[in-house]
Amino acid sequence: MSKSETSNAHSVATRLAHMGRPWSPDMPFVNPPVVRASTVLFEDVHAMHDPASKYVYGRRGTPTSNALADALTELEGPACAGTVLTPSGLAAISVALLSFLGAGDHVLIPDCAYRPVRELCDSLIPRLGVEVSYYDPTIGAGIAALTRANTKVIYLESPGSLTFEIQDTPAIVAHARAIGAVTIIDNTWATPLMFRALDFGVDVTLMAATKYIVGHSDAMLGTVSANEATWKRLKHTHGAMGMFTGPDDMWLALRGLRTLSVRMRHQEQSALEIARWLQTRPEVAQVLHPGLPQDPGHAIWKRDFNGSAGLFGIILKPSSDEAVAAMLDGLQLFGLGYSWGGYESLAIPCELTGIRTATTWAAEGPLVRLQIGLEDPADLIADLDKGLARLNAAG
Ligand SMILES: *Cc1c(COP(=O)(O)O)cnc(C)c1O
């Protein structure tokens, strides 16, 4: 056990300060260095052929990538056999799907999936001879009616990152196990801090580390972690596709991990406070946040999750596009921009046409998604309050 390794008896907040910090007398610094590498030099020809050689070639792993992958494997818990790193969250999704799908297979995708997943599954994936169908994310055990003899993968995203439906992951996993299908979950919203997917029997869990792990909106990165049964296949596919990530980005993710718990707990509390305030506003028809008791996903969220994140949605009462633009354009503290999970607050108007095929989106008013950053929630509420005044003024 090295100086920086800690036992699993410590809480996750404690372990985040210590994981992924291999210590040696030659490298005794608190943080592992950024190693930039393609070529690895061997001592002799024997070492070149020795399968036990720790480093072979830059793309196959460096001290920087190992430190981050090992930390994430620890964070995912004892059911995790290993983690691979990808250049973006979307690359994590494509590596995960391509690891387990081939010609003649069928994959099920939840209707709430991140929009680019649908683009991947409507273009490249069918070109490989894979059948794709979409399902109602709230279907739970009803998934049994949708699987086929060739269903190889059931994909989940819980909650949906635009519409915030919580999935009954254990019910879906139980059926997947019964038919021998692999389950893959996009766990970007919760991270293993709030939902340790592998503990619930999910085979493969992935994150856009671009969001909470990096946490500062300055790098793109994906992670895919697998259980024992799926790890070899995932690692092989990741290697075969030539996936690797820039050393600075991996280092930024390691730095982000150190404050992950503090940031997420703060953002969780602020988001809940703001969500509760929004519930009281006459302009708001519904707040989509599974941490609220009124949310349709609340019971399952409470059963399975350790907490919530700082990203949620609001359905406004029917209002014109111009009124929503007036509300959002004047915000001082919320930036208008995609992505989330950083330290700064963001708002986006959401357009759902064309991205629901298994279900219909019944809301009459527009949907706005809020990412709550590390600002004082009272200041954020004041900013939103003025925004709602602009919404009203614009009719
Ligand atoms: C942003 C996002 C991704 C993709 O991550 P990138 O790093 O932007 O490629 C995947 N899933 C969810 C839920 C996301 O929000």
Side-chain angles (χ1 to χ4, degrees):
M1 176 150 162
S2 78
K3 281 208 174 172
S4 61
E5 279 177 50
T6 49
S7 111
N8 273 352
H10 294 127
S11 82
V12 67
T14 301
R15 285 188 288 120
L16 280 168
H18 293 268
M19 55 180 58
R21 288 174 43 200
W23 184 93
S24 75
D26 292 341
M27 204 53 76
F29 306 100
V30 168
N31 292 297
V34 179
V35 175
R36 305 172 191 286
S38 56
T39 302
V40 171
L41 294 175
F42 295 86
E43 209 171 340
D44 52 25
V45 170
H46 174 77
M48 287 188 105
H49 296 149
D50 184 356
S53 286
K54 194 165 176 192
Y55 300 111
V56 178
Y57 183 59
R59 175 162 32 76
R60 297 290 177 181
T62 65
T64 311
S65 67
N66 287 353
L68 178 58
D70 290 350
L72 290 161
T73 296
E74 181 178 339
L75 192 61
E76 294 289 352
C80 185
T83 299
V84 293
L85 308 171
T86 59
S88 69
L90 187 55
I93 294 167
S94 64
V95 166
L97 287 172
L98 293 171
S99 293
F100 303 100
L101 290 172
D105 293 342
H106 171 235
V107 57
L108 276 161
I109 306 286
D111 221 20
C112 62
Y114 177 63
R115 184 191 294 248
V117 176
R118 192 175 282 268
E119 283 156 21
L120 174 70
C121 288
D122 290 344
S123 58
L124 190 150
I125 298 272
R127 276 211 315 271
L128 303 176
V130 176
E131 296 167 16
V132 177
S133 48
Y134 293 90
Y135 69 95
D136 177 348
T138 64
I139 200 166
I143 196 83
L146 301 181
T147 55
R148 307 172 186 169
N150 59 341
T151 303
K152 279 287 160 56
V153 171
I154 304 178
Y155 186 86
L156 301 94
E157 179 177 317
S158 178
S161 57
L162 277 185
T163 43
F164 301 95
E165 299 91 337
I166 288 281
Q167 298 200 248
D168 190 343
T169 300
I172 292 173
V173 164
H175 179 64
R177 290 256 156 131
I179 63 166
V182 168
T183 44
I184 300 172
I185 193 168
D186 182 333
N187 197 33
T188 303
W189 185 86
T191 82
L193 252 59
M194 305 302 189
F195 180 65
R196 239 171 43 182
L198 300 178
D199 291 354
F200 289 79
V202 175
D203 294 300
V204 177
T205 180
L206 62 89
M207 285 187 284
T210 307
K211 311 289 164 58
Y212 284 119
I213 306 296
V214 166
H216 296 70
S217 308
D218 51 8
M220 314 241 9
L221 194 97
T223 76
V224 195
S225 301
N227 63 11
E228 201 62 52
T230 53
W231 166 239
K232 253 179 98 169
R233 182 92 176 243
L234 171 70
K235 182 159 171 53
H236 177 263
T237 308
H238 175 265
M241 290 177 72
M243 291 281 174
F244 201 65
T245 306
D248 291 301
D249 296 341
M250 295 188 283
W251 190 87
L252 287 168
L254 263 176
R255 164 170 281 203
L257 274 183
R258 306 303 170 208
T259 54
L260 179 66
S261 174
V262 181
R263 285 185 285 111
M264 281 197 83
R265 289 298 174 194
H266 182 92
Q267 285 165 289
E268 171 184 40
Q269 289 315 314
S270 297
L272 281 167
E273 184 179 334
I274 294 165
R276 287 190 202 107
W277 175 78
L278 285 163
Q279 280 184 309
T280 68
R281 293 294 308 218
E283 300 86 353
V284 175
Q286 195 183 345
V287 180
L288 308 176
H289 187 314
L292 298 174
Q294 298 79 7
D295 191 86
H298 183 71
I300 292 177
W301 170 81
K302 204 168 165 184
R303 183 191 69 190
D304 296 347
F305 287 62
N306 301 319
S308 54
L311 185 81
F312 65 94
I314 46 175
I315 299 172
L316 296 167
K317 300 257 175 75
S319 345
S320 67
D321 289 349
E322 294 71 33
V324 176
M327 172 187 166
L328 299 181
D329 284 345
L331 293 171
Q332 300 287 302
L333 299 176
F334 287 82
L336 302 182
Y338 298 105
S339 200
W340 45 281
Y343 58 84
E344 83 294 8
S345 293
L346 297 168
I348 54 167
C350 302
E351 180 50 70
L352 294 173
T353 39
I355 61 165
R356 310 288 294 199
T357 50
T359 57
T360 46
W361 183 250
E364 286 172 14
L367 172 64
V368 170
R369 190 181 74 178
L370 298 176
Q371 128 79 12
I372 305 304
L374 295 174
E375 301 93 335
D376 187 327
D379 291 333
L380 295 174
I381 286 175
D383 201 20
L384 290 170
D385 190 36
K386 291 195 198 112
L388 291 171
R390 286 190 298 275
L391 179 85
N392 286 326

